[in-house]
Amino acid sequence: DAGVTQSPTHLIKTRGQHVTLRCSPISGHKSVSWYQQVLGQGPQFIFQYYEKEERGRGNFPDRFSARQFPNYSSELNVNALLLGDSALYLCASSPDRATEAFFGQGTRLTVV
Amino acid sequence: AQTVTQSQPEMSVQEAETVTLSCTYDTSESDYYLFWYKQPPSRQMILVIRQEAYKQQNATENRFSVNFQKAAKSFSLKISDSQLGDAAMYFCAPLNYGGATNKLIFGTGTLLAVQP
């Protein structure tokens, strides 16, 4: 079985640009969460989606948005990129809202 | 708000020896899980072990075991017979499941080096 897949693996963007990150959960998993991991720190929660509805949002500005599609895949969008948005973005899927999360390999975003 | 403290930024262990990584957390929730994840240089977060807070018995997964002290809000990870492949960043992360949002709260991590 395929694990959680994220695309792209690496991305370089310029300040002010927009970026879309994509995530495909493990087959059968209905919950997708997004985390931001800045270098040297633990991941920070951004969003949780379950059955295509937003179930939680972390302390991130409105420039961050996400959605989940009928096939349970998800997109994370970030507008007006700042240098501080440079980080590893991790997607995790779970069969349910409150069970262990399985992570993808992440997307390394660099904003220059 | 939940907080997680991993007081050991770095640890080192000899191959085949045992090492214990510490973690304390603060939560007002009564129902939650606790996880240890490892993150090797490949950067993928890998689940190591899981503990349900309502269970008194400590979880064990092959060479990995935990010492869960609910009253003290302590959740340490013991790695026995350490192997070179155990070298990674280790994160402790509670997950509450009673509320509308179920998110992992990660500590700052402990970087484990395994010496041959």
Side-chain angles (χ1 to χ4, degrees), chain A residues 54-110:
Chain A
E54 181 181 308
R55 295 303 182 107
R57 183 189 183 105
N59 188 23
F60 282 81
D62 292 342
R63 299 184 296 107
F64 288 76
S65 63
R67 55 180 175 168
Q68 186 177 33
F69 299 99
N71 65 354
Y72 302 110
S73 66
S74 178
E75 283 182 354
L76 175 69
N77 295 283
V78 187
N79 292 323
L81 285 166
L82 303 174
L83 295 179
D85 295 330
S86 295
L88 179 67
Y89 289 85
L90 295 166
C91 174
S93 78
S94 307
D96 201 334
R97 284 192 299 125
T99 53
E100 58 262 38
F102 297 87
F103 285 82
Q105 286 191 301
T107 294
R108 171 74 66 190
L109 173 65
T110 302

Side-chain angles (χ1 to χ4, degrees), chain A:
Chain A
D1 281 344
V4 178
T5 57
Q6 292 186 243
S7 62
T9 54
H10 296 85
L11 200 53
I12 299 176
K13 288 286 191 178
T14 304
R15 277 178 297 175
Q17 284 189 314
H18 162 90
V19 69
T20 298
L21 310 181
R22 295 177 174 84
C23 172
S24 293
I26 292 171
S27 178
H29 286 195
K30 299 179 180 179
S31 176
V32 170
S33 297
W34 288 94
Y35 292 82
Q36 181 196 63
Q37 186 177 21
V38 174
L39 192 63
Q41 298 181 18
Q44 298 291 315
F45 172 77
I46 310 176
F47 286 109
Q48 182 189 40
Y49 276 78
Y50 178 72
E51 288 283 16
K52 293 155 282 185
E53 291 187 5
E54 181 181 308
R55 295 303 182 107
R57 183 189 183 105
N59 188 23
F60 282 81
D62 292 342
R63 299 184 296 107
F64 288 76
S65 63
R67 55 180 175 168
Q68 186 177 33
F69 299 99
N71 65 354
Y72 302 110
S73 66
S74 178
E75 283 182 354
L76 175 69
N77 295 283
V78 187
N79 292 323
L81 285 166
L82 303 174
L83 295 179
D85 295 330
S86 295
L88 179 67
Y89 289 85
L90 295 166
C91 174
S93 78
S94 307
D96 201 334
R97 284 192 299 125
T99 53
E100 58 262 38
F102 297 87
F103 285 82
Q105 286 191 301
T107 294
R108 171 74 66 190
L109 173 65
T110 302
V111 182
V112 297

Side-chain angles (χ1 to χ4, degrees), chain A residues 37 55 97 100-101 105, chain B residues 37 39 43-44 50 100-101:
Chain A
Q37 186 177 21
R55 295 303 182 107
R97 284 192 299 125
E100 58 262 38
Q105 286 191 301
Chain B
Y37 282 90
Q39 189 177 38
R43 78 193 188 201
Q44 182 161 11
R50 152 188 167 156
T101 301

Side-chain angles (χ1 to χ4, degrees), chain B residues 72-108:
Chain B
K73 295 181 180 177
S74 170
F75 183 58
S76 62
L77 174 70
K78 185 171 80 171
I79 306 174
S80 304
D81 185 26
S82 296
Q83 300 176 0
L84 295 177
D86 295 334
M89 182 71 86
Y90 285 80
F91 291 98
C92 169
L95 170 75
N96 70 289
Y97 58 82
T101 301
N102 309 110
K103 60 183 180 182
L104 290 161
I105 306 294
F106 287 89
T108 51

